[in-house]
Amino acid sequence: MSIWTSGTSINNGRYTIQQYLGRGGFGIAHSAKDEKKGNIVVIKTLNPTQISPEEFRTQERKFYNEGMRLAKCNPHPHIVEVYEFIEINGISGMVMEFIDGDNLASYTRDHEGLSQTEALRYINQIGQALERIHALGFLHRDVKPHNIILRKSSQEAVLIDFGLAREYTLGAEVNMTNARSQGYAPIEQYERYGKFGDYTDVYALAATLYKLLTNNEPLPAEFRKIGIPLPPPQQFNPKISDRTNAAILKGMELEAVNRPQTVRKFREILGLLVQPVVNIPIETPFNDNPVTGQKRPQENITTPQSGNQNAQLKSSSGMDYKKLRDLLAQGKWKEADEETVRIMLAVGKREKESWLDTKSLDNFPCEDLHIIDKLWVKHSNGKFGFSVQQKIYQSCGGTLEYEPEIWEKYGEKVGWKKKKLLGMGGEWITEYNITFDITAPAGHLPSGLRGILGKGGAASLGLRLVDCNL
């Protein structure tokens, strides 16, 4: 039931109600136009028709506390932002960021499940949001696909609905409301008195990943408690890697003590926290993956000087790599850089758009990434290539999270950014200043991808390189 109709002016004309968005629990939400700033916002209030007069003040205090907890988390790119608190005719209102996009439940249903790379990107982002929440001393307690929205403009995941968020003391037995979302709530949320901790949200985050990858609702904890086993996610989706399958099951352990105790640890066992690599010889690009310990695929990439010149130079996607091989063999680095861009747009089926979006990167064939990388590495004697750039980035302390200071340090190391001298310089160089020569710094090439990656593309490419074991 809506408490306002479209066109209603509130807060002395500051906001004009647009439409009713929905309700949950005791809350109700409307979109509204901020007449001062011209943008669309969400105004969330208590729904007086759902609360008895005796309970109203108690619920109002909880509502205000929700807003205060949420405001403490801002700003964060993956947590919905609170702008201000208002009061209209005795009803408290919270003015919040309007996120244009679908929730992950609808998005997953429409796509009949997500690829592992795409799903892990969203879990990584929401994991970072939860770490921020936990650092402030409270839990979300209602992480699920319905409470995660994808920004339409950037496809970044944003955590919403902090109505069940509560402060907690790790290890202490506390009395919390038993409100919960079946399938995503751990067993401790079915108990009136229980021990809550970061691991409570870990369970929900793992259950969310289960849903994203299988398009199936996870078996509720209360059913598991009576002996019904949780089907492994690989049972519904055999494309899920063994590592991800095991991590989900670990995160959804029935007993809290058996789960990863922090979200960071859960992200680590998923392989989302690439640890800095120190003292990795740039000249040995064919070593096993130093992060995962997995063996690298041993493609037999040949050169014009080695017997069979056409072996393994045409991928299963139909791309022919002989031209790239020949350009690299001749030391035509600029032309090889341009050919690499052409190949990646063609393989990603983004030639018309001339840039790679997150979806095309998520689904980019590992085979093609390996061929491109090994051609660059081989003909530069281990100086250029994706795997070389990955190692340098990791040696700078880089992970799959975007950290401006690390990215700038990396840019300086590979020669894409000028070093600051006496407070001067430090600018990122343009495509016209790239050094197309073997004397360029290690990792300087290929560089053309910088111009064809959309917003969030660098992070998506990095995640795909890890996923493909480069």
Side-chain angles (χ1 to χ4, degrees):
M1 178 184 295
S2 173
I3 63 172
W4 289 315
T5 57
S6 178
T8 301
S9 180
I10 61 174
N11 203 38
N12 297 321
R14 173 66 185 273
Y15 301 105
T16 302
I17 298 300
Q18 301 288 298
Q19 61 180 339
Y20 165 72
L21 297 178
R23 62 186 177 89
F26 296 131
I28 186 168
H30 294 78
S31 63
K33 182 179 179 181
D34 184 335
E35 298 294 350
K36 183 177 180 180
K37 296 183 178 179
N39 62 310
I40 301 299
V41 298
V42 171
I43 298 181
K44 184 176 179 181
T45 66
L46 287 175
N47 186 352
T49 65
Q50 298 292 313
I51 309 172
S52 67
E54 297 78 21
E55 286 187 82
F56 191 83
R57 290 306 168 193
T58 299
Q59 293 302 326
E60 186 176 46
R61 184 173 66 254
K62 290 181 179 179
F63 175 78
Y64 179 78
N65 288 339
E66 172 196 349
M68 291 301 293
R69 282 189 293 267
L70 186 50
K72 287 180 180 178
C73 296
N74 298 146
H76 191 284
H78 305 300
I79 298 176
V80 64
E81 188 170 358
V82 172
Y83 298 138
E84 67 170 333
F85 295 92
I86 60 177
E87 184 174 319
I88 312 101
N89 299 327
I91 300 176
S92 295
M94 191 188 327
V95 183
M96 308 168 67
E97 173 188 11
F98 174 76
I99 304 171
D100 186 17
D102 294 329
N103 66 51
L104 264 184
S106 299
Y107 182 80
T108 301
R109 182 186 64 248
D110 292 345
H111 289 75
E112 298 182 348
L114 309 184
S115 71
Q116 180 169 295
T117 302
E118 183 176 15
L120 287 176
R121 182 171 71 250
Y122 301 145
I123 292 300
N124 193 40
Q125 292 171 351
I126 297 304
Q128 293 172 46
L130 288 171
E131 287 179 22
R132 175 66 167 268
I133 294 166
H134 295 167
L136 292 171
F138 62 95
L139 304 173
H140 187 278
R141 298 202 311 138
D142 201 19
V143 178
K144 58 183 179 181
H146 282 91
N147 285 340
I148 299 169
I149 298 181
L150 295 181
R151 296 185 192 277
K152 187 177 292 185
S153 59
S154 63
Q155 286 296 97
E156 289 188 323
V158 182
L159 186 61
I160 64 169
D161 201 341
F162 283 61
L164 295 183
R166 294 290 184 273
E167 294 180 350
Y168 73 103
T169 301
L170 187 62
E173 190 173 87
V174 294
N175 178 0
M176 287 194 180
T177 59
N178 59 1
R180 56 187 170 264
S181 295
Q182 278 203 334
Y184 301 93
I187 197 64
E188 59 264 30
Q189 280 187 254
Y190 286 82
E191 302 165 355
R192 185 67 178 178
Y193 292 90
K195 292 183 178 180
F196 294 80
D198 297 5
Y199 46 76
T200 302
D201 283 339
V202 167
Y203 185 101
L205 188 63
T208 296
L209 181 55
Y210 187 109
K211 168 66 175 179
L212 301 187
L213 290 174
T214 67
N215 204 25
N216 282 279
E217 294 293 332
L219 186 70
E222 61 179 333
F223 295 165
R224 300 176 59 198
K225 187 71 173 179
I226 61 175
I228 304 175
L230 174 70
Q234 274 183 335
Q235 179 176 317
F236 302 110
N237 180 0
K239 293 182 180 180
I240 299 172
S241 71
D242 291 343
R243 177 175 190 162
T244 298
N245 185 73
I248 292 172
L249 294 176
K250 188 68 177 174
M252 292 185 68
E253 284 277 3
L254 197 59
E255 300 301 326
V257 69
N258 295 327
R259 291 176 221 144
Q261 297 299 288
T262 65
V263 171
R264 189 169 186 81
K265 184 64 179 177
F266 178 60
R267 290 169 61 216
E268 182 181 320
I269 66 174
L270 278 170
L272 297 174
L273 285 179
V274 180
Q275 300 300 320
V277 179
V278 183
N279 297 326
I280 301 267
I282 297 295
E283 294 73 24
T284 56
F286 305 127
N287 291 345
D288 295 342
N289 190 309
V291 176
T292 65
Q294 294 175 306
K295 298 290 183 182
R296 296 186 188 278
Q298 298 297 310
E299 293 94 339
N300 180 29
I301 301 299
T302 58
T303 67
Q305 291 77 32
S306 64
N308 185 0
Q309 297 183 18
N310 296 324
Q312 296 295 324
L313 285 171
K314 190 168 185 179
S315 71
S316 55
S317 69
M319 181 54 61
D320 191 327
Y321 287 90
K322 290 195 292 292
K323 181 178 180 180
L324 178 60
R325 176 203 62 187
D326 293 344
L327 290 171
L328 288 168
Q330 296 166 29
K332 295 182 177 180
W333 307 109
K334 187 175 189 298
E335 292 83 351
D337 199 56
E338 293 170 349
E339 176 68 1
T340 299
V341 169
R342 184 195 71 78
I343 286 172
M344 293 198 69
L345 288 173
V347 172
K349 297 180 173 56
R350 298 283 294 177
E351 294 168 292
K352 182 178 179 181
E353 293 81 2
S354 298
W355 61 281
L356 294 172
D357 61 359
T358 54
K359 184 177 181 180
S360 61
L361 289 168
D362 288 345
N363 297 302
F364 203 94
C366 291
E367 178 188 11
D368 290 86
L369 286 174
H370 276 283
I371 294 175
I372 295 169
D373 178 57
K374 291 206 170 186
L375 284 172
W376 273 94
V377 169
K378 188 172 185 67
H379 291 287
S380 66
N381 293 320
K383 196 168 189 180
F384 304 141
F386 298 147
S387 58
V388 176
Q389 292 170 341
Q390 277 282 83
K391 289 177 183 178
I392 294 173
Y393 181 64
Q394 292 165 10
S395 72
C396 292
T399 69
L400 292 180
E401 300 174 29
Y402 172 67
E403 300 173 79
E405 291 183 3
I406 297 297
W407 184 247
E408 290 190 6
K409 182 179 178 182
Y410 167 73
E412 290 181 356
K413 200 154 189 176
V414 299
W416 292 350
K417 187 176 190 295
K418 296 178 182 178
K419 293 185 178 181
K420 291 183 179 180
L421 296 174
L422 301 176
M424 301 294 289
E427 303 92 352
W428 290 87
I429 66 173
T430 67
E431 58 184 299
Y432 304 106
N433 299 116
I434 293 293
T435 302
F436 293 106
D437 193 275
I438 195 64
T439 61
H444 192 69
L445 300 174
S447 68
L449 288 184
R450 293 196 305 162
I452 63 170
L453 294 178
K455 186 174 181 181
S460 295
L461 177 61
L463 185 56
R464 189 57 177 161
L465 293 176
V466 171
D467 203 31
C468 292
N469 196 26
L470 238 68

